[in-house]
Amino acid sequence: MQRADQANSALENESTTTAAADPNTHILDTPLVRGEGKQVIDRVTLRKPRSGELRGVSLSDLVNLDVTALSKVLPRISTPTLTEFDVANIDPADLVQLGGIFAGFLMPKAAKARMESLSA
């Protein structure tokens, strides 16, 4: 029994480390629960959107991390795929973190390099 607990703990630590190593993955402070507890989403990975995935949304709203704009774009770029309902029910702290990841996608490489050099 103790070995099973140790193995489960090791797997949890490995998955947390993997998520922490991926700057585009956020481990949710408050997991999302779907279908009467049948599916629990505890982490979300975002990928850089293509221009077509930004359709129907104002770029200025996205830059300002407008909740309505994010609720339209996040389902298009998230793994697992979030629904607009999921985004509407996500903890505000988690939404801010996902918005920060998204905002990073909008920054030019030169600006990212400048920020990294300032923090080093």
Side-chain angles (χ1 to χ4, degrees), residues 28-34 39-44 82-83 85-91 94 98:
L28 300 174
D29 287 342
T30 306
L32 290 169
V33 180
R34 289 181 178 165
Q39 182 183 14
V40 177
I41 298 170
D42 64 350
R43 72 189 64 225
V44 176
L82 299 176
T83 64
F85 182 78
D86 291 331
V87 177
N89 287 304
I90 200 165
D91 184 279
D94 290 320
L98 291 171

Side-chain angles (χ1 to χ4, degrees), residues 15-88:
S15 64
T16 301
T17 302
T18 303
D22 181 357
N24 298 332
T25 297
H26 172 63
I27 298 171
L28 300 174
D29 287 342
T30 306
L32 290 169
V33 180
R34 289 181 178 165
E36 298 176 22
K38 293 182 181 178
Q39 182 183 14
V40 177
I41 298 170
D42 64 350
R43 72 189 64 225
V44 176
T45 301
L46 301 182
R47 64 172 175 73
K48 186 172 184 172
R50 295 178 295 270
S51 295
E53 290 165 323
L54 304 178
R55 71 188 177 284
V57 181
S58 164
L59 287 177
S60 64
D61 286 346
L62 288 171
V63 168
N64 291 320
L65 301 180
D66 177 77
V67 174
T68 303
L70 285 173
S71 70
K72 291 181 182 180
V73 174
L74 290 180
R76 300 173 187 173
I77 63 169
S78 62
T79 303
T81 302
L82 299 176
T83 64
E84 284 190 43
F85 182 78
D86 291 331
V87 177

